[in-house]
Amino acid sequence: MSPSPLELVGTGLFAVAVAHTFLTKYFERLAHLQPNHAGIWHLLGEVEVVFGFWAFILLAFMAVHGGAGEPTKYLEGLNYTEPAFVFVIMVVAASRPILELCKIGARALAHFIPLSESLAFYFVCLSVVPLLGSFVTEPAAMTLAALMLRDNYYSKDISHRLKYATLGALFVNVSIGGTLTHFAAPPVLMVASKWNWDMWFMLGHFGWKSALAVFVTAGIATLLFARELKEIAIEARSSERTVPRMLILLHVIFLAGIVYFAHHATAFVGLFLLFLGVAEGYKHYHDRLMLREGLMVGFFLAGLVTLGGLQQWWLQDVLTGMDSTALYFGATALTAITDNAALTYLGSLVEGTDDAFKYSLVSGAVTGGGLTVIANAPNPAGFAILRGHFEDESINSLGLFVTAMPPTIIAILAFRLL
């Protein structure tokens, strides 16, 4: 397929945006060196802004090249349901009633693990909570796990190595942990209906392998940092209930309803507005809602959708030119620079594929979902929650890539050898 000038410009801007995600610290330094222009440099130093910023550059080019109506026509042809859903589920899952319920459940489960309290709770946060993404969706699982890790470990001035190792393990485990079902992980959802994959198929071909890799990764991380983790005192009050049972139940109903209508924006946005009314009416049982963080993550993903809409011309050709083994590793690598849901969607457009192609595409896409912040839709949510506890409130993209490699290798071994 011969690309159009617009597709070439879109691909060029997409490449610039990917490079920009690795250079955010450079813009933060410019903000200190040039205080008169600190505002714009700080803006460009926000990872959540990157793809939205370059998406606006693309729309400006479209307006100049094709007229004022061209950007509107292009945007109306895209689907922004996923960015809107991630914003909504992140705010609801991070509310105090939901977070308190999850903390109580995690601590109760940790009591059955024959380790010290801090070690057992850390293991649960890195294993069981990411696997919940198969039922409450990956963005919700990422939000809950990141918040519990932030409150109980990152806020305790842990070492630089532990912060990055935990982040890499979390991102990879959430990415593969959503494959126990056919409806919760975006890269699986994109193909499940077309390829007739149900829950039993997912459990038999993906789920048990993912669960094994998740527990192995969490176990290794727990053992490697056992000495440091033992010295951390878990807050006793985190196991106490401060919210009425009926309000917790109501929030669970809101969460379940939003998950059920995850692909119907009109329905889940309506539920979200009702949730905001309840949260305002019972604000003495709520902490600050994560509206700003959620909006920033939604903006990031919307920018990714806008730029990603022009990448089909090269991605689909790349996918069709690989055998099953090359496709698996190619999908793992491509996921690091593209959203894995977009990758599986483009692969589903290829006609005449066999079962080996389908398995390699999806397993490769979820395997590489923790390597970068753009690889998996929930990653920006975890990034936004934890970034404030890193040096200069910035997570180094190369540091994330390096520390996510060992968990990624464990996932590769699980999907390719078992």
Side-chain angles (χ1 to χ4, degrees):
M1 184 185 300
S2 179
S4 67
L6 179 60
E7 287 175 326
L8 289 174
V9 171
T11 300
L13 290 175
F14 184 84
V16 171
V18 171
H20 187 164
T21 61
F22 288 89
L23 298 173
T24 51
K25 275 202 168 186
Y26 173 74
F27 290 104
E28 291 292 344
R29 292 193 191 98
L30 284 178
H32 294 292
L33 295 174
Q34 301 179 11
N36 290 337
H37 303 286
I40 185 64
W41 298 133
H42 277 306
L43 179 68
L44 294 175
E46 297 275 356
V47 170
E48 295 93 332
V49 170
V50 171
F51 277 85
F53 174 81
W54 291 105
F56 273 110
I57 300 298
L58 172 66
L59 297 176
F61 171 82
M62 294 174 69
V64 172
H65 185 263
E70 194 67 22
T72 302
K73 181 181 177 181
Y74 174 69
L75 292 174
E76 289 178 343
L78 299 175
N79 186 350
Y80 290 96
T81 299
E82 185 179 25
F85 173 76
V86 171
F87 160 64
V88 168
I89 200 71
M90 184 176 173
V91 174
V92 176
S95 63
R96 196 210 298 179
I98 296 295
L99 184 59
E100 191 170 280
L101 176 64
C102 289
K103 284 182 177 179
I104 293 172
R107 285 177 61 82
L109 188 59
H111 282 306
F112 293 96
I113 300 175
L115 296 171
S116 66
E117 187 176 37
S118 60
L119 287 174
F121 189 76
Y122 178 82
F123 177 79
V124 170
C125 288
L126 275 188
S127 58
V128 177
V129 179
L131 289 173
L132 282 178
S134 290
F135 305 96
V136 300
T137 74
E138 288 182 344
M142 176 68 81
T143 300
L144 292 168
L147 284 170
M148 288 193 284
L149 288 168
R150 182 197 67 182
D151 295 343
N152 292 281
Y153 299 97
Y154 281 78
S155 62
K156 304 297 177 61
D157 195 29
I158 59 177
S159 69
H160 195 66
R161 289 175 62 248
L162 178 54
K163 288 178 182 178
Y164 273 99
T166 301
L167 187 70
L170 174 65
F171 278 18
V172 174
N173 281 0
V174 168
S175 181
I176 64 176
T179 59
L180 277 68
T181 63
H182 61 294
F183 58 82
V188 174
L189 187 66
M190 289 294 182
V191 301
S193 177
K194 182 175 181 178
W195 292 343
N196 297 316
W197 288 1
D198 57 15
M199 183 181 294
W200 300 115
F201 178 90
M202 292 304 302
L203 281 172
H205 291 80
F206 293 89
W208 70 273
K209 300 176 186 179
S210 299
L212 179 61
V214 164
F215 283 118
V216 169
T217 294
I220 291 174
T222 303
L223 293 176
L224 284 177
F225 294 95
R227 181 176 299 179
E228 182 175 355
L229 290 170
K230 284 179 181 177
E231 298 176 357
I232 299 174
I234 303 296
E235 294 289 339
R237 58 185 176 86
S238 64
S239 63
E240 298 173 358
R241 182 175 55 81
T242 62
V243 180
R245 288 188 178 89
M246 289 306 298
L247 190 58
I248 292 177
L249 177 61
L250 182 58
H251 279 61
V252 170
I253 292 173
F254 276 127
L255 185 66
I258 289 168
V259 169
Y260 183 79
F261 291 109
H263 310 292
H264 304 278
T266 304
F268 72 67
V269 169
L271 284 172
F272 179 63
L273 294 175
L274 185 58
F275 162 82
L276 291 178
V278 172
E280 177 63 23
Y282 292 92
K283 58 185 177 183
H284 48 292
Y285 291 120
H286 286 81
D287 301 318
R288 181 184 68 85
L289 295 178
M290 296 185 65
L291 293 171
R292 178 187 178 277
E293 294 86 348
L295 282 171
M296 291 290 284
V297 170
F299 181 66
F300 177 95
L301 294 173
L304 186 59
V305 169
T306 304
L307 288 172
L310 295 174
Q311 311 310 314
Q312 181 175 350
W313 69 272
W314 66 270
L315 264 178
Q316 194 167 340
D317 286 346
V318 169
L319 294 176
T320 53
M322 299 179 179
D323 60 29
S324 60
T325 301
L327 177 62
Y328 175 82
F329 290 103
T332 301
L334 285 170
T335 290
I337 60 170
T338 60
D339 177 64
N340 56 11
L343 195 65
T344 57
Y345 169 72
L346 292 175
S348 71
L349 300 178
V350 181
E351 298 297 335
T353 57
D354 57 15
D355 291 340
F357 177 96
K358 297 171 183 177
Y359 175 83
S360 295
L361 175 66
V362 175
S363 58
V366 298
T367 297
L371 293 172
T372 63
V373 70
I374 67 172
N376 194 27
N379 291 358
F383 187 96
I385 292 168
L386 296 174
R387 63 176 297 179
H389 295 278
F390 285 79
E391 184 181 355
D392 298 329
E393 297 191 1
S394 177
I395 297 174
N396 185 285
S397 298
L398 182 59
L400 168 61
F401 183 86
V402 170
T403 52
M405 277 303 300
T408 300
I409 291 171
I410 292 173
I412 290 173
L413 294 175
F415 283 122
R416 299 304 295 176
L417 298 183
L418 298 180

